[in-house]
């Protein structure tokens, strides 16, 4: 008798509950409930090669309800990825490949770090878009080298989250036919039966988004699920939602109850589950026939080999395309990139133009968009304001798969999550823009991108009270502080075109981290930079103006406030004071420099220090200490012309000079 | 000939474009497009009294697309609110009541500060819920004192935003029949014609949410809009969405184009608009007949007087209910609140129990929920984990209008925005919980609540790597830094039950600001507090343990790290070192103390300082300066048992002691 679907699914179930029991922590309900869906998708439909999780033409699988991590680890282990039984035994332990929620950089085969609900689904929209865009770019009539699907498992929680609306509405508009979402409709979330808080007609909602909606099917009926997947695959013009009715905790005594959502089953309950599922084997043991039925290594190798054969032909027929494909997928910048980047920075230096740094960013984009076809720009309905589109930008036609600039609509979180998907899929370097104050909405996606080390580039403009009349809802105060506290994220706040060019360069070259460029609405003066200074911008902080001998005072600023401190420097110098000006465009880069460099520009012996930044001041005490001062924003802004706000909030030469003189008098006294 | 609807609407249009022209900044497209909808709603339907914007039974009107602010200012001016023509002339100027986006605290009649799209709509769901809950609470068979509607204007942008999904899905589930949304479907956003990024079937989507969907109607046909509003009012069991097809910039030469969205019309264009609309009057002049047609003062006074008569009867018939109504609406705590609060704090002191601060918060809630019927609790599907429900909590039945605890589902942003609505409506003090790492999703609502000064209380638990096995997606690192940088928001991180009780007290008593309580997942030791210390907790920082004479070192910490520094204090004291321990549960309160108090506990002369907090360290340099040290988290956490993480990330007595000794040796040396 052949090994049945149910037996294979039960292997996933038992591995999950045993590992969770051993860890004394985890979420058994979801793996038990989704095991049948997972079995049929992974054994009958998913195109993948366990021996090479990086095969570019693999199907993508995203577990958007990431708390069901043990389901995924079971799948990866059983199909033959480099994930040993020992790792399953070490579920949720320090140093294992099997953390509580799947982490992309820790575990081979995990496409995306998930856990915060809805974001896996949203990022999957980006993956499916990436597939379509690459297919158009690289496939030829003769050879198809990009042809894969993006599958998502999601739960009720994912669909309640707002980001699911933003991304799925777009996926429908874009007609992403190769996106297939299996919705684990078990009717239970942590708080219990969802009737009281989630009774929307999900099918109607997704139909309104122009998706193909299939089901409800019995999520424990492998054949029914498989037929629905076939139907989903057959529609190449609409994304598909397959509604799978399941029982959370299927097979356990707690089936159908929220009680099995987030706590391990007891020993007794596990025993009962084994009996219910007719699974006599001890923990972490899988019988050979089940193992064999799961093993996808041979089939995976064959599938990739067939693709490699096609790609090898493709390489002969279209050597340039093949080379470009390889480069895009690798994430490497073009070989001549350093020369291009040097030329851009030189051009910026030579330009001598005063401009808003959002315009400076656009100036840079004018030059790099043509040079880097892998750039995929976009904005959340602020294309002109942020300056994300340039002469060579073409609005995407997602149905045709052409273009390099996305109108995300008024969807900041959706944009940030879709950008993650573009980066995760590979082949693209996404950048996207909105106002800095609305970076809030996308913040948790920035966090996930930083955690995964994805090269996403965010352009956040209108970065202070310099916004002016639009008022406090549109004037960021706390956002820089919040962003700078996210680990593995570079936050640049350049003061002019040259710094903006260097920031862009560094953001593109930082392969394993996202970057933010905080950009001014208002015009800023161009600064003269020596060649040494230009080199030092990339270090995140440098001496912009100096004195003879040891300075009496160090003035420091970023972005739109740098010109203020340079004016104050002139006044102090004219008074015979020894002052130094630091521009600190990227505190994260500056912190990464060695002690000697940091001491050279910010010597411990000079404690009279003044920082000026039109954002929350607290972070600056790290540099001015207890004896220095900070001019920042400790309240919300206001609606008035920017010039008036600058006066009211002390961002004027007079106010900064006065603060500097107060400090100097304190020191003298 | 009576003054026509169109003439009245044109008064709004011309006031808007003239004020925007004068300010040389603003958004003419929306007021021009929505003027007819506004005219019919405000002149035929809205129940309000311009002489008393605080009348509790007024209809609420929320302009969710707040960039159309001049429409609202025109309405308020013309109907007779305390908003002079001079204020309209000063649109977007410093000190005016007419900022770029409507601000509730600046302008009488503005129900809510709007601008970030979608949040007005989401908060309106909270207002409509508040009305229903208060109606059940206070209306009697004999007298109805709560019976008003919540009207919203929103645009395409609002409906693209994810928060609209979260809140509107709930509004449908809740059957909020008195919520009426007029959707300005003009098909244009900043980036242009929305076809490429927003083609969902909005009617189908809202039908899926169980709303009554009306239209599309011609949004420039006052009668058609009025009939739809009548239909909306007639359905008391479902919220209504009225789809109004309009032309952005109606009447101007730029009608139908994104070009009129966000920039003033030119003088020429304004001239042409005047001609198109047959409006010969000069700027800021409204003819008497139009003024008279708009004037709502008499009708408003009469409406409120009729209600006052009912309420006066009500007061005679149900004096206790009337008193409670007045108190709830005023936002005042009960007269015996100080005694209740004192008793809770005394009880906390006496309890002597070690507990997680999330449990401590629940302990406090057990005592205050019965005492404060105006509390409306809830959580984003983490009721048990955060501990938001207690013995006297009753899940709301929104159709009946009963209960005091809301299951918001997995909707953090929706929860935070709906809480704003509950607070804005009046009658409720909302509190709501989720994990600290998911506060990200609701962050922009926290910001708006802080900007408006709303008493919302957020319980954010699982506030560090103490989360353990769930791993880095669930372990906050940067969130405290981000929240502390929001102006007008108290962020409490209590270390035990006593501090938690004081934090709750202060959050409730701080009428004009929101508060966050950052709460541990893990159990923390109870500390002995002197009566003086208990008093000082409310000051945000105090000496928990001290030495004789001036300390050699000051150790400071918050929340789950306080016990670490007290253990280190014991070890240092045993070594003969003079150490002081500060607990700093609320930096915002501490900063608000006078210099003398702050110097007394953190004297300038003691520079050997060590701060310990399991979050991003940078803010602590404000207190330790350049010569101190901070033990914090500069990277993301990891999945492992909490104890293991504490060791790996140096949150152990040994690691803290070693850092303290290093500092002391540096000082000695």
């Amino acid at each position: 008798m052949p090994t049945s679907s149910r037996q294979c699914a039960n292997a996933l179930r038992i591995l999950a509950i045993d590992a969770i029991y051993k860890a004394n922590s985890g979420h058994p309900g979801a793996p038990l409930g989704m095991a049948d869906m997972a079995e049929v998708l992974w054994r009958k439909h998913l195109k993948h090669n366990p021996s090479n999780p990086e095969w570019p033409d693999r199907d993508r699988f995203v577990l958007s309800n990431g708390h069901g991590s043990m389901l995924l680890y079971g799948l990866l282990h059983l199909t033959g990825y480099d994930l040993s039984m020992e790792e399953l035994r070490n579920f949720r332990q320090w140093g294992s490949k099997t953390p509580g929620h799947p982490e992309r950089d820790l575990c081979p085969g995990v496409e995306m770090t998930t856990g915060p609900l809805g974001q896996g689904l949203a990022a999957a929209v980006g993956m499916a878009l990436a597939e379509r865009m690459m297919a158009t770019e690289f496939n030829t009539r003769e050879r198809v080298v990009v042809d894969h699907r993006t599958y998502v498992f999601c739960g009720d929680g994912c669909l309640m989250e707002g980001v699911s609306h933003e991304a799925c509405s777009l996926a429908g508009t874009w007609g992403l036919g190769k996106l297939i979402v299996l919705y684990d409709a078990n009717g239970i979330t942590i708080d219990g039966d969802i009737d009281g808080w989630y009774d929307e007609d999900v099918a109607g909602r997704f139909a309104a988004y122009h998706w193909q909606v299939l089901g409800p099917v019995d999520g424990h009926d492998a054949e029914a699920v498989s037929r629905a997947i076939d139907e989903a695959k057959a529609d190449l013009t609409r994304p598909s939602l397959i509604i799978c009715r399941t029982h959370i905790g299927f097979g356990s005594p707690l089936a159908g109850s929220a009680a099995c959502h987030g706590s391990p089953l007891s020993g007794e309950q596990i025993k009962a589950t084994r009996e219910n599922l007719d699974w006599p084997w001890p923990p972490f043991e899988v019988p050979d026939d089940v193992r064999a039925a799961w093993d996808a290594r041979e089939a995976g190798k064959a599938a990739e080999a067939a693709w490699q054969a096609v790609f090898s032909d493709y390489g002969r027929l279209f050597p340039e395309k093949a080379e470009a494909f390889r480069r895009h997928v690798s994430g490497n910048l073009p070989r001549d990139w350093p020369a291009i980047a040097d030329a851009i920075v030189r051009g910026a230096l030579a330009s001598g133009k005063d401009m808003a740094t959002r315009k400076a960013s656009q100036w840079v984009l004018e030059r790099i968009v043509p040079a880097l076809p892998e750039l995929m720009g976009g904005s959340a309905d602020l294309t002109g304001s942020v300056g994300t589109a340039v002469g060579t930008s073409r609005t995407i036609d997602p149905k045709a798969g052409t273009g390099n600039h996305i109108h995300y609509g008024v969807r900041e979180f959706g944009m940030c999550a879709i950008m993650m998907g573009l980066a995760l899929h590979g082949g693209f370097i996404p950048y996207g823009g909105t106002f800095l104050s609305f970076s809030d909405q996308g913040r948790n996606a920035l966090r996930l991108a930083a955690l995964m080390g994805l090269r996403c580039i965010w352009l956040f403009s209108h970065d202070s009270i310099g916004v002016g009349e639009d008022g406090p809802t549109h004037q960021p105060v706390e956002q820089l502080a919040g962003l700078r506290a996210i680990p593995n994220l570079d936050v640049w706040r350049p003061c002019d075109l040259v710094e903006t060019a260097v920031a862009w360069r560094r953001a593109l070259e930082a392969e394993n981290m996202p970057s933010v460029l905080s950009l001014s609405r208002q015009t800023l003066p161009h600064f003269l930079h020596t060649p040494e200074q230009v080199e030092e911008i990339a270090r995140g902080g440098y001496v912009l103006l100096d004195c003879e001998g040891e300075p009496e005072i160090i003035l420091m600023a970023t972005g739109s406030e740098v010109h203020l401190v340079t004016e104050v420097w002139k006044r102090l110098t004219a008074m015979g004071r020894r002052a130094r000006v630091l521009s600190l465009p990227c505190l994260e880069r500056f912190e990464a420099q060695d002690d000697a460099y940091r001491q050279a520009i910010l010597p411990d012996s000079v404690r009279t220090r003044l920082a000026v930044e039109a954002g929350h001041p607290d972070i600056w005490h790290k540099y001015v200490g207890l004896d220095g001062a900070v001019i920042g924003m400790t309240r919300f802004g206001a609606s008035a012309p920017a010039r008036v706000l600058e006066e009211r909030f002390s961002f004027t030469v007079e106010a900064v000079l006065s603060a500097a003189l107060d400090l100097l008098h304190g020191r003298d006294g």
Side-chain angles (χ1 to χ4, degrees), chain A residues 60 123-138 146 148 150 174 176 376 401 406 418 421-428:
Chain A
R60 269 54 169 186
V125 171
M127 295 180 190
L129 177 66
E131 195 269 352
R132 173 158 301 174
M133 306 300 289
M134 288 198 69
T136 300
E137 173 90 16
F138 292 106
V146 180
H148 53 268
T150 302
W174 291 346
L176 298 176
M376 181 60 74
I406 301 173
I418 289 170
L422 289 165
L424 283 164
H425 178 277
F428 293 99

Side-chain angles (χ1 to χ4, degrees), chain A residues 6 9-18 20 27-39 67-72 153 184 186 219-220 246-257 259-261 263-266 269-270 272-274 276-277:
Chain A
R6 180 52 58 79
N10 286 346
L12 293 172
R13 290 191 165 97
I14 298 293
L15 282 174
I17 61 176
D18 286 341
I20 291 165
H27 300 78
L32 289 171
M34 297 191 297
D36 297 307
M37 293 154 58
E39 182 276 330
H67 53 273
S69 55
M70 263 313 301
L71 179 77
L72 182 51
F153 275 16
D184 176 40
N186 62 27
H220 301 298
T246 65
H247 300 281
I248 189 171
F250 181 95
S252 81
L254 297 178
S257 151
C260 66
H261 171 88
S263 306
L265 300 182
S266 69
Q269 289 162 345
I270 289 178
T273 308
R274 277 195 151 70
N276 293 341
L277 299 178

